[in-house]
Amino acid sequence: MVCIERLAGLCPPDDVVSPLLVCSVLSLPYSPVIYLDFNRTTPMAPSVVEAMKPYWLTHFMLPGQEHPHAQAVAEALENAREGVAILAGCEPFEVVFTGGGTEANNLGILGGVDRSERGHVLVSTLEHDSVLGATAHLAELGWEVESVPCDSNGLVDPESLGRAIRSTTRLACVQLANPVLGTIQPVREIADICHSRGVSLHCDATQAFGKMPVDVTELRADTVSVSAHKFYGPKGSGALYVRRGLSLRPISFGEPREMGLRPGAENIPGCIGLGAAASLAGRCAGDVAASIGDLRDHFAYGLLSSLGDRARILCLDSPRLPNTIAIEMPGDAKRIQRAARQLAIATAQSDTPPDETTRALRAIGMSGAQVGRTIRLSLGWTSSRDQVDRAIELLADASDAASAA
Amino acid sequence: MVCIERLAGLCPPDDVVSPLLVCSVLSLPYSPVIYLDFNRTTPMAPSVVEAMKPYWLTHFMLPGQEHPHAQAVAEALENAREGVAILAGCEPFEVVFTGGGTEANNLGILGGVDRSERGHVLVSTLEHDSVLGATAHLAELGWEVESVPCDSNGLVDPESLGRAIRSTTRLACVQLANPVLGTIQPVREIADICHSRGVSLHCDATQAFGKMPVDVTELRADTVSVSAHKFYGPKGSGALYVRRGLSLRPISFGEPREMGLRPGAENIPGCIGLGAAASLAGRCAGDVAASIGDLRDHFAYGLLSSLGDRARILCLDSPRLPNTIAIEMPGDAKRIQRAARQLAIATAQSDTPPDETTRALRAIGMSGAQVGRTIRLSLGWTSSRDQVDRAIELLADASDAASAA
């Protein structure tokens, strides 16, 4: 594994400090936690913390204040915006800072339509709660919201989506990558179909940035969401790419900031942190994706050889994020999770209302029993082969115990 | 002055480090900046940064993750909520964390009414842009929005507000303290009048917390906004007090968090920072308010004795924040500001659309020329007598130069 902090010049070479940096910090007295839930949230990269530091106590002014120090802050904010723009492949003026991915999705969807209209919206079944929540709000306002299914490989078919478009369709929402299955949607083809029919496309790409190259210009979506805490940036910070020329409405109100799309005092340290995380991801993501992909494969095949044909990796043949494994294995997943406490992993939590994991697994046609046997694993920049080997042992043991119970 | 960081146990006694801590950090090579704009934003207190630190790299999980470490984070979040509740004088379950004061005002107002209705709303002319923005949005949706004026002392008259209430009035919005004039509104009396007529009251108290005791139960407003960066907490973090039993609607959508009122991954470090800032303010605000009040008076009388009867402190006889001075003085305020570059102070920026300072000064009946001669000063926990004495000299010199020009 490439140690990202070393690339960022913030920690000594591998032979002095291992890539277990985060996990050693996380250690309990007797059992260091092996964190395998990077798609939920990541620790901040030390270099991101360092980048934010000057803006807490020293450069604490807001860009709107009438002092040269404030102008320096304004410049730092624009540099951070440029960092996000470079990672996303767009122009800085197409980047709107938000308070996170959820707000970016709400702004892209609720700000992307005229809410007083009563149009038709298409939403893939794999979407995040914030996308489903925003479209459910449109439904409350009288909009028709139609689900677009995915196939058993976790992929949305562009042609099927195209067939669902009506004359009243205003917006389609399709994510770039799924946090549970890891599947990557053909967003470019979907965008082309949408645009040929005069429909806008909102793409939640929060799970993709930092894990794979994302070029929003090539994606051709009209709005694209970014969440800093998904790639080693601060929580409470995100951005929305807004294609130049697209007319968007703000969803909250106040002193005009961020091209009139997001009011309120700027969270300067949060924006700087996102910019720093974006620069780090841009610099390191290629190397990291390759090595994480190798480690993911080692993990998957290790699990399969320990568990035999009683286990199954989901959506194995689909284009997938390099860090993600969803695996159906023998035994109750929650029981496995409890038995393998040294691992931080994710399982389906609730059927009514279904959580994100349950929804994704149901969307590919799994039964309730299958959902209850599935574990969601995601690797990160600090994941190591030692951790993965230990995780294979622990999961195999816990699965044996749980399936024997 | 009480050095708040010393009270918080984070810096050595006064004889080692002076309360000029922040300003020395801010120093330019030859001229340390004297920061007199604490009502716009504050630096973070070092103890707040320390409180947030563990949640960036170590305890980075989200409360919703299925691991004991995540439960520890959930507990820390609830402790932070309790810190805010203690400062505000309410129960923890009445505190909803938001992304800042602007979001809190939007949630209190837009979440406090049924937007599909077409009711009547009362708004004082002294309100923040986010309050005026949210009510302007209601006006776009067909609501009748009526301004409630203040008198020349910067005070809203509860009786006049009561007379403006109609059978269709659903909400009134009156701030607790004004950032420009410092005037403190009779919110309790206004709340009693509103409630006797079946009208809810939203109170933006973002300028009051950390500067004066605020007990929301005594205020009797239904919703009250808090902004962390106004009292040495992090930017991008705030809260809304929601009176128990009040039914509020979320204004953005997603995975239900914060009692269903605010979706999305919690900004854990931001919430912890707000909680820490609230605890610090609760511990120190009494002492600080008294000493800042003395310093403010020293500042005001120093300015008046330097400038003579050509200067005038606004709203001198009204109940006011202990840290705030708005002063009309000879010479163009922007010219004074440019001449006294060592000071970070605020002036009116624009008449169309009017900024916060212009609006407040216009609201008390000042002419355009008077607005253009007015400077807004606000002291903070690190302000010192030396700074104030130097500011008096600089302002008097700049005023002489500007009025001679």
Side-chain angles (χ1 to χ4, degrees):
Chain A
M1 281 298 297
V2 172
C3 171
I4 204 71
E5 309 318 342
R6 191 165 52 76
L7 288 178
L10 280 165
C11 79
D14 266 349
D15 54 345
V16 181
V17 170
S18 84
L20 285 161
L21 182 65
V22 168
C23 301
S24 66
V25 169
L26 261 182
S27 59
L28 294 172
Y30 305 111
S31 55
V33 171
I34 299 176
Y35 189 72
L36 297 169
D37 201 10
F38 283 89
N39 286 0
R40 288 280 278 278
T41 192
T42 65
M44 276 171 69
S47 61
V48 171
V49 176
E50 289 300 317
M52 292 167 69
K53 221 174 236 181
Y55 300 90
W56 294 320
L57 279 92
T58 310
H59 301 293
F60 66 83
M61 286 194 213
L62 292 168
Q65 286 175 274
E66 305 102 43
H67 195 276
H69 277 303
Q71 286 158 30
V73 173
E75 194 173 317
L77 181 67
E78 295 316 309
N79 288 344
R81 196 186 307 280
E82 199 174 335
V84 179
I86 290 170
L87 181 70
C90 65
E91 296 294 332
F93 62 81
E94 295 174 309
V95 174
V96 174
F97 284 116
T98 70
T102 284
E103 185 185 322
N105 281 330
N106 273 268
L107 179 58
I109 295 166
L110 299 177
V113 300
D114 176 357
R115 288 196 238 180
S116 67
E117 222 192 335
R118 298 287 176 262
H120 175 245
V121 173
L122 291 170
V123 194
S124 101
T125 47
L126 291 171
E127 297 302 305
H128 186 254
D129 286 279
S130 55
V131 171
L132 296 175
T135 54
H137 180 66
L138 288 178
E140 281 173 24
L141 297 176
W143 284 66
E144 265 194 281
V145 178
E146 186 176 341
S147 281
V148 179
C150 66
D151 61 21
S152 59
N153 295 313
L155 296 174
V156 173
D157 174 37
E159 300 296 327
S160 312
L161 185 139
R163 281 191 297 276
I165 291 176
R166 311 177 192 171
S167 62
T168 54
T169 309
R170 294 285 167 272
L171 183 70
C173 305
V174 180
Q175 68 189 190
L176 183 51
N178 188 269
V180 181
L181 307 167
T183 48
I184 296 166
Q185 302 304 328
V187 171
R188 163 89 180 241
E189 288 141 89
I190 292 170
D192 286 345
I193 289 174
C194 285
H195 291 159
S196 71
R197 307 283 297 276
V199 172
S200 291
L201 179 66
H202 171 71
C203 178
D204 173 6
T206 50
Q207 286 294 343
F209 286 103
K211 294 170 195 153
M212 58 180 269
V214 179
D215 185 313
V216 295
T217 314
E218 281 183 19
L219 275 189
R220 293 198 190 161
D222 297 276
T223 47
V224 177
S225 299
V226 181
S227 170
H229 79 100
K230 300 291 188 187
F231 57 101
Y232 313 91
K235 292 174 171 65
S237 183
L240 184 69
Y241 157 79
V242 181
R243 179 180 55 74
R244 69 195 81 181
L246 187 77
S247 165
L248 217 66
R249 296 162 184 80
I251 58 171
S252 66
F253 308 92
E255 217 173 356
R257 294 277 179 269
E258 296 294 313
M259 293 81 96
L261 287 174
R262 213 263 175 173
E266 297 90 342
N267 175 4
I268 296 294
C271 298
I272 302 287
L274 171 54
S279 300
L280 192 59
R283 215 158 50 237
C284 312
D287 283 352
V288 169
S291 62
I292 283 191
D294 292 345
L295 193 61
R296 187 261 324 255
D297 293 341
H298 173 72
F299 199 177
Y301 295 119
L303 286 169
L304 292 179
S305 51
S306 291
L307 298 165
D309 54 10
R310 299 169 302 158
R312 177 173 71 105
I313 308 284
L314 307 179
C315 304
L316 196 55
D317 298 325
S318 303
R320 283 184 306 148
L321 289 174
N323 76 320
T324 306
I325 298 172
I327 182 167
E328 183 190 347
M329 60 202 308
D332 178 70
K334 281 189 189 160
R335 199 181 289 243
I336 294 172
Q337 191 173 34
R338 275 194 297 275
R341 262 292 177 237
Q342 197 187 333
L343 307 180
I345 57 179
T347 56
Q349 287 305 298
S350 148
D351 208 41
T352 47
D355 64 295
E356 180 176 58
T357 305
T358 304
R359 279 204 320 276
L361 301 178
R362 288 294 207 170
I364 58 167
M366 291 178 87
S367 69
Q370 289 176 307
V371 169
R373 285 196 297 268
T374 302
I375 284 174
R376 166 187 161 176
L377 305 162
S378 45
L379 302 172
W381 290 353
T382 51
S383 301
S384 69
R385 186 174 274 255
D386 286 348
Q387 291 182 321
V388 164
D389 288 338
R390 180 76 184 123
I392 294 168
E393 283 174 21
L394 288 168
L395 286 170
D397 288 352
S399 173
D400 285 346
S403 53
Chain B
M1 281 299 295
V2 172
C3 172
I4 204 71
E5 309 318 345
R6 191 164 54 76
L7 288 178
L10 279 164
C11 78
D14 265 351
D15 54 346
V16 179
V17 169
S18 85
L20 284 161
L21 182 66
V22 168
C23 301
S24 66
V25 169
L26 260 182
S27 59
L28 294 172
Y30 305 109
S31 57
V33 171
I34 298 175
Y35 189 71
L36 297 169
D37 201 10
F38 283 88
N39 286 0
R40 288 280 278 277
T41 192
T42 64
M44 275 170 68
S47 61
V48 171
V49 176
E50 289 300 317
M52 292 167 69
K53 220 173 238 181
Y55 300 90
W56 293 321
L57 280 91
T58 310
H59 301 293
F60 65 84
M61 286 194 212
L62 292 168
Q65 286 175 274
E66 304 102 45
H67 195 275
H69 277 303
Q71 286 158 30
V73 173
E75 194 173 315
L77 181 67
E78 294 318 308
N79 287 344
R81 196 186 308 279
E82 199 174 335
V84 178
I86 290 169
L87 181 70
C90 66
E91 295 294 332
F93 62 81
E94 296 174 309
V95 174
V96 174
F97 284 117
T98 70
T102 284
E103 185 186 323
N105 282 330
N106 273 267
L107 179 58
I109 296 167
L110 299 177
V113 300
D114 176 359
R115 288 196 238 181
S116 67
E117 222 193 334
R118 297 288 175 263
H120 175 245
V121 173
L122 292 168
V123 194
S124 102
T125 48
L126 290 171
E127 297 303 305
H128 186 254
D129 286 279
S130 55
V131 171
L132 296 174
T135 54
H137 180 66
L138 287 178
E140 282 173 24
L141 297 176
W143 284 66
E144 264 194 281
V145 178
E146 185 175 341
S147 281
V148 179
C150 66
D151 61 21
S152 59
N153 295 312
L155 296 174
V156 173
D157 174 35
E159 301 296 327
S160 311
L161 185 138
R163 281 191 296 276
I165 292 176
R166 310 177 192 170
S167 62
T168 54
T169 309
R170 294 286 168 270
L171 184 71
C173 306
V174 180
Q175 68 189 191
L176 183 51
N178 188 269
V180 181
L181 307 167
T183 49
I184 296 166
Q185 302 304 329
V187 170
R188 162 91 180 240
E189 288 142 90
I190 292 169
D192 286 345
I193 289 174
C194 285
H195 292 159
S196 72
R197 307 283 297 276
V199 172
S200 292
L201 179 66
H202 171 71
C203 177
D204 173 5
T206 50
Q207 287 294 343
F209 285 103
K211 295 171 194 152
M212 58 181 270
V214 180
D215 185 312
V216 295
T217 314
E218 281 182 21
L219 274 189
R220 294 197 188 161
D222 297 276
T223 46
V224 177
S225 299
V226 181
S227 170
H229 80 100
K230 300 291 188 186
F231 57 102
Y232 312 91
K235 292 173 171 64
S237 183
L240 183 70
Y241 156 79
V242 180
R243 179 179 56 73
R244 70 195 82 181
L246 187 77
S247 164
L248 218 67
R249 296 161 184 80
I251 58 172
S252 66
F253 308 93
E255 216 173 356
R257 293 278 179 267
E258 296 295 312
M259 292 81 94
L261 288 173
R262 214 264 174 171
E266 297 89 344
N267 175 5
I268 296 294
C271 298
I272 302 286
L274 171 54
S279 300
L280 191 59
R283 215 157 48 238
C284 311
D287 284 351
V288 168
S291 62
I292 283 191
D294 292 345
L295 194 60
R296 188 262 323 258
D297 293 341
H298 174 73
F299 199 177
Y301 295 119
L303 286 169
L304 292 178
S305 51
S306 292
L307 298 166
D309 54 10
R310 299 169 302 159
R312 177 172 71 104
I313 308 285
L314 308 179
C315 304
L316 196 54
D317 299 325
S318 303
R320 283 184 306 148
L321 288 175
N323 76 320
T324 306
I325 297 172
I327 182 166
E328 182 190 346
M329 59 202 310
D332 178 69
K334 281 189 189 160
R335 199 181 289 242
I336 294 172
Q337 191 173 34
R338 276 194 297 274
R341 262 291 177 235
Q342 199 187 330
L343 307 181
I345 57 179
T347 56
Q349 288 304 299
S350 147
D351 209 39
T352 46
D355 64 296
E356 180 176 58
T357 305
T358 305
R359 278 203 322 275
L361 301 178
R362 288 294 206 170
I364 58 167
M366 291 179 88
S367 68
Q370 288 176 307
V371 169
R373 284 195 298 268
T374 301
I375 284 174
R376 165 188 162 174
L377 305 162
S378 45
L379 302 172
W381 290 353
T382 51
S383 301
S384 69
R385 186 174 273 255
D386 286 349
Q387 291 181 321
V388 163
D389 288 337
R390 180 75 184 124
I392 293 169
E393 283 174 21
L394 288 167
L395 286 170
D397 289 353
S399 173
D400 285 346
S403 52

